[in-house]
Amino acid sequence: LFKNFMPFLTLLFIANVVLTILRDIKEDFLVKIIDVSQYSSWMFAQVDSVVTLIILIIFGLMVFVRSNLKALSILLGLIIASMVVMAVVSFGYEQLQLNAIAWLFIQSLCLYLAFLTFQTIFFDRFIAMNDFLGYTGTVIVLAVKEFFSPDINWTAFYNLMAGYVGIICFVAFVCSFIYLHQRYRRENYGKTGVFRKKEEEKEQLEKIEKEK
Protein backbone atom coordinates (compact mmCIF):
# COMPACT_ATOMS: atom_id res chain seq x y z
CA LEU A 1 0.00 0.00 0.00
CA PHE A 2 2.76 2.45 0.94
CA LYS A 3 4.80 1.61 -2.18
CA ASN A 4 1.77 2.08 -4.39
CA PHE A 5 0.80 5.46 -2.88
CA MET A 6 4.17 6.61 -1.55
CA PRO A 7 4.06 10.33 -2.61
CA PHE A 8 0.51 10.74 -1.29
CA LEU A 9 1.10 8.96 2.03
CA THR A 10 4.49 10.63 2.61
CA LEU A 11 2.97 14.11 2.32
CA LEU A 12 0.12 13.19 4.66
CA PHE A 13 2.56 11.51 7.03
CA ILE A 14 4.63 14.71 7.37
CA ALA A 15 1.50 16.83 7.83
CA ASN A 16 0.10 14.52 10.50
CA VAL A 17 3.38 14.51 12.47
CA VAL A 18 3.49 18.32 12.72
CA LEU A 19 -0.24 18.46 13.49
CA THR A 20 0.26 15.95 16.32
CA ILE A 21 3.09 18.04 17.77
CA LEU A 22 0.99 21.22 17.61
CA ARG A 23 -2.05 19.53 19.16
CA ASP A 24 0.06 18.05 21.96
CA ILE A 25 1.61 21.43 22.83
CA LYS A 26 -1.78 23.18 22.72
CA GLU A 27 -3.42 20.68 25.06
CA ASP A 28 -0.52 20.39 27.50
CA PHE A 29 0.41 24.07 27.76
CA LEU A 30 -2.88 25.91 27.21
CA VAL A 31 -2.64 27.52 30.66
CA LYS A 32 0.67 29.09 29.60
CA ILE A 33 -0.53 30.08 26.14
CA ILE A 34 -3.68 31.81 27.46
CA ASP A 35 -4.24 33.56 30.77
CA VAL A 36 -7.00 31.18 31.88
CA SER A 37 -7.51 33.03 35.17
CA GLN A 38 -9.60 35.61 33.30
CA TYR A 39 -12.13 33.02 32.19
CA SER A 40 -14.16 30.28 33.81
CA SER A 41 -13.33 26.65 33.09
CA TRP A 42 -16.88 26.31 31.74
CA MET A 43 -15.99 28.75 28.96
CA PHE A 44 -13.21 26.48 27.67
CA ALA A 45 -15.54 23.49 27.86
CA GLN A 46 -18.07 25.39 25.76
CA VAL A 47 -15.44 26.18 23.12
CA ASP A 48 -14.41 22.53 22.87
CA SER A 49 -18.06 21.43 22.76
CA VAL A 50 -18.92 23.77 19.89
CA VAL A 51 -15.79 22.72 17.97
CA THR A 52 -16.63 19.04 18.51
CA LEU A 53 -20.23 19.55 17.40
CA ILE A 54 -19.20 21.34 14.19
CA ILE A 55 -16.71 18.59 13.31
CA LEU A 56 -19.25 15.84 14.07
CA ILE A 57 -21.80 17.53 11.79
CA ILE A 58 -19.22 17.80 8.98
CA PHE A 59 -18.21 14.15 9.34
CA GLY A 60 -21.86 13.11 9.61
CA LEU A 61 -22.72 14.86 6.35
CA MET A 62 -20.05 12.79 4.59
CA VAL A 63 -22.43 9.79 4.62
CA PHE A 64 -24.44 11.53 1.90
CA VAL A 65 -21.40 11.64 -0.40
CA ARG A 66 -21.36 8.29 -2.17
CA SER A 67 -18.16 8.78 -4.15
CA ASN A 68 -15.05 7.99 -2.10
CA LEU A 69 -12.95 10.36 -4.21
CA LYS A 70 -15.47 13.18 -3.80
CA ALA A 71 -15.70 12.65 -0.03
CA LEU A 72 -11.91 12.62 0.31
CA SER A 73 -11.66 15.71 -1.89
CA ILE A 74 -14.19 17.57 0.26
CA LEU A 75 -12.34 16.65 3.45
CA LEU A 76 -8.97 17.66 1.97
CA GLY A 77 -10.53 20.91 0.76
CA LEU A 78 -11.81 21.67 4.27
CA ILE A 79 -8.41 20.83 5.76
CA ILE A 80 -6.58 23.04 3.24
CA ALA A 81 -8.94 25.93 4.07
CA SER A 82 -8.40 25.29 7.80
CA MET A 83 -4.62 25.41 7.42
CA VAL A 84 -4.85 28.71 5.52
CA VAL A 85 -7.05 30.22 8.24
CA MET A 86 -4.81 28.89 11.01
CA ALA A 87 -1.68 30.35 9.40
CA VAL A 88 -3.35 33.71 8.72
CA VAL A 89 -4.69 33.96 12.29
CA SER A 90 -1.31 32.97 13.72
CA PHE A 91 0.87 35.30 11.66
CA GLY A 92 -1.73 38.07 11.80
CA TYR A 93 -2.23 37.81 15.55
CA GLU A 94 -1.13 41.38 16.27
CA GLN A 95 -3.14 42.90 13.41
CA LEU A 96 -6.38 40.97 14.01
CA GLN A 97 -6.50 41.72 17.76
CA LEU A 98 -8.77 38.75 18.49
CA ASN A 99 -9.80 38.09 22.08
CA ALA A 100 -8.51 34.88 23.67
CA ILE A 101 -11.75 32.91 23.28
CA ALA A 102 -12.22 33.78 19.60
CA TRP A 103 -8.56 32.99 18.92
CA LEU A 104 -8.83 29.66 20.76
CA PHE A 105 -12.02 28.71 18.92
CA ILE A 106 -10.50 29.35 15.47
CA GLN A 107 -7.25 27.59 16.36
CA SER A 108 -9.07 24.57 17.83
CA LEU A 109 -11.51 24.20 14.93
CA CYS A 110 -8.76 24.40 12.30
CA LEU A 111 -6.40 22.09 14.20
CA TYR A 112 -8.92 19.39 15.18
CA LEU A 113 -10.68 19.33 11.82
CA ALA A 114 -7.38 18.37 10.21
CA PHE A 115 -6.20 16.10 13.02
CA LEU A 116 -9.45 14.16 13.46
CA THR A 117 -9.78 13.61 9.72
CA PHE A 118 -6.63 11.52 9.92
CA GLN A 119 -8.02 9.57 12.83
CA THR A 120 -11.15 8.66 10.86
CA ILE A 121 -9.57 8.00 7.44
CA PHE A 122 -6.42 6.03 8.17
CA PHE A 123 -5.85 2.72 9.90
CA ASP A 124 -5.12 2.57 13.62
CA ARG A 125 -1.68 1.03 13.18
CA PHE A 126 -0.54 3.77 10.83
CA ILE A 127 -1.87 6.42 13.23
CA ALA A 128 -0.20 4.74 16.22
CA MET A 129 3.19 4.88 14.50
CA ASN A 130 2.55 8.46 13.41
CA ASP A 131 1.50 9.52 16.92
CA PHE A 132 4.68 8.04 18.37
CA LEU A 133 6.79 10.16 16.01
CA GLY A 134 4.58 13.17 16.70
CA TYR A 135 5.01 12.93 20.46
CA THR A 136 8.75 12.39 20.01
CA GLY A 137 8.75 15.55 17.94
CA THR A 138 6.99 17.37 20.78
CA VAL A 139 9.78 16.40 23.17
CA ILE A 140 12.41 17.59 20.66
CA VAL A 141 10.63 20.92 20.12
CA LEU A 142 10.32 21.53 23.86
CA ALA A 143 13.96 20.56 24.45
CA VAL A 144 15.12 23.01 21.77
CA LYS A 145 12.95 25.72 23.29
CA GLU A 146 14.25 25.15 26.82
CA PHE A 147 17.92 25.10 25.78
CA PHE A 148 17.88 27.95 23.28
CA SER A 149 14.93 30.20 24.26
CA PRO A 150 13.83 29.36 27.83
CA ASP A 151 12.19 32.77 28.40
CA ILE A 152 10.14 32.88 25.20
CA ASN A 153 6.52 33.99 25.48
CA TRP A 154 4.29 30.94 25.19
CA THR A 155 1.61 32.73 23.16
CA ALA A 156 4.23 33.98 20.68
CA PHE A 157 5.83 30.50 20.60
CA TYR A 158 2.54 28.73 19.88
CA ASN A 159 1.43 31.34 17.34
CA LEU A 160 4.70 31.10 15.43
CA MET A 161 4.59 27.32 15.45
CA ALA A 162 0.92 27.22 14.40
CA GLY A 163 1.69 29.55 11.51
CA TYR A 164 4.49 27.37 10.19
CA VAL A 165 2.46 24.19 10.74
CA GLY A 166 -0.36 25.80 8.74
CA ILE A 167 2.01 26.54 5.85
CA ILE A 168 3.63 23.07 5.91
CA CYS A 169 0.27 21.30 6.05
CA PHE A 170 -1.23 23.57 3.40
CA VAL A 171 1.55 22.65 0.96
CA ALA A 172 1.33 18.95 1.89
CA PHE A 173 -2.46 18.79 1.55
CA VAL A 174 -2.58 20.74 -1.71
CA CYS A 175 0.11 18.47 -3.22
CA SER A 176 -1.79 15.42 -1.91
CA PHE A 177 -5.02 16.72 -3.43
CA ILE A 178 -3.38 17.29 -6.82
CA TYR A 179 -1.60 13.92 -6.75
CA LEU A 180 -4.80 12.06 -5.81
CA HIS A 181 -6.83 13.60 -8.63
CA GLN A 182 -4.10 13.20 -11.24
CA ARG A 183 -3.66 9.56 -10.33
CA TYR A 184 -7.41 8.94 -10.34
CA ARG A 185 -7.77 10.53 -13.77
CA ARG A 186 -4.74 8.71 -15.16
CA GLU A 187 -5.90 5.29 -13.96
CA ASN A 188 -9.52 5.79 -15.00
CA TYR A 189 -8.53 7.29 -18.35
CA GLY A 190 -6.23 4.32 -18.90
CA LYS A 191 -9.06 1.90 -18.23
CA THR A 192 -11.40 3.87 -20.48
CA GLY A 193 -8.75 4.03 -23.20
CA VAL A 194 -8.15 0.27 -23.11
CA PHE A 195 -11.89 -0.41 -23.19
CA ARG A 196 -12.35 2.00 -26.09
CA LYS A 197 -9.48 0.40 -28.01
CA LYS A 198 -10.99 -3.06 -27.56
CA GLU A 199 -14.37 -1.78 -28.76
CA GLU A 200 -12.77 -0.23 -31.84
CA GLU A 201 -10.92 -3.48 -32.60
CA LYS A 202 -14.17 -5.41 -32.19
CA GLU A 203 -15.99 -3.06 -34.57
CA GLN A 204 -13.21 -3.38 -37.12
CA LEU A 205 -13.36 -7.18 -36.96
CA GLU A 206 -17.15 -7.13 -37.34
CA LYS A 207 -16.78 -4.81 -40.34
CA ILE A 208 -14.27 -7.16 -41.97
CA GLU A 209 -16.55 -10.15 -41.33
CA LYS A 210 -19.46 -8.34 -42.96
CA GLU A 211 -17.36 -7.44 -46.00
CA LYS A 212 -16.37 -11.09 -46.38
Side-chain angles (χ1 to χ4, degrees):
L1 179 65
F2 181 77
K3 184 179 179 181
N4 197 24
F5 292 92
M6 185 170 61
F8 179 71
L9 290 178
T10 300
L11 288 166
L12 296 184
F13 174 80
I14 294 170
N16 195 39
V17 168
V18 294
L19 280 172
T20 301
I21 294 172
L22 186 66
R23 186 211 63 165
D24 200 30
I25 290 175
K26 174 185 171 293
E27 292 182 351
D28 292 344
F29 299 98
L30 182 62
V31 294
K32 293 185 178 181
I33 296 170
I34 295 178
D35 185 4
V36 296
S37 63
Q38 298 180 9
Y39 306 93
S40 67
S41 58
W42 174 242
M43 180 63 72
F44 294 102
Q46 285 181 311
V47 170
D48 286 342
S49 298
V50 173
V51 168
T52 302
L53 183 61
I54 292 173
I55 294 174
L56 282 175
I57 291 172
I58 292 173
F59 285 172
L61 290 174
M62 288 298 104
V63 301
F64 296 106
V65 184
R66 296 185 178 275
S67 169
N68 290 327
L69 179 67
K70 189 175 181 180
L72 191 58
S73 298
I74 291 171
L75 287 173
L76 282 172
L78 287 171
I79 294 171
I80 290 168
S82 297
M83 294 299 97
V84 171
V85 172
M86 189 170 78
V88 169
V89 169
S90 297
F91 288 123
Y93 180 74
E94 297 293 337
Q95 291 78 14
L96 295 173
Q97 293 294 314
L98 296 172
N99 62 56
I101 297 301
W103 176 86
L104 179 64
F105 172 77
I106 295 171
Q107 287 282 349
S108 298
L109 181 61
C110 294
L111 175 60
Y112 289 121
L113 180 60
F115 182 78
L116 292 176
T117 298
F118 281 103
Q119 309 301 315
T120 56
I121 289 178
F122 293 98
F123 298 107
D124 290 339
R125 288 184 181 271
F126 176 76
I127 294 300
M129 179 188 66
N130 218 352
D131 281 348
F132 167 75
L133 291 175
Y135 296 136
T136 303
T138 300
V139 174
I140 294 172
V141 169
L142 292 176
V144 171
K145 175 199 168 295
E146 291 301 321
F147 281 108
F148 294 99
S149 300
D151 299 324
I152 193 172
N153 179 278
W154 271 94
T155 303
F157 171 68
Y158 181 86
N159 251 332
L160 187 64
M161 185 174 178
Y164 283 118
V165 167
I167 291 173
I168 292 170
C169 291
F170 170 77
V171 173
F173 288 129
V174 167
C175 292
S176 300
F177 184 88
I178 294 171
Y179 171 83
L180 183 67
H181 277 264
Q182 285 183 340
R183 175 156 184 161
Y184 179 82
R185 289 174 183 174
R186 184 172 66 250
E187 291 185 356
N188 279 270
Y189 176 78
K191 291 178 182 178
T192 305
V194 171
F195 179 76
R196 191 177 298 164
K197 187 177 181 181
K198 288 182 178 179
E199 287 294 312
E200 290 175 354
E201 290 176 352
K202 184 178 179 182
E203 289 176 0
Q204 289 177 355
L205 288 173
E206 290 177 352
K207 187 177 180 179
I208 292 172
E209 289 294 327
K210 287 180 181 179
E211 290 177 352
K212 289 180 178 180

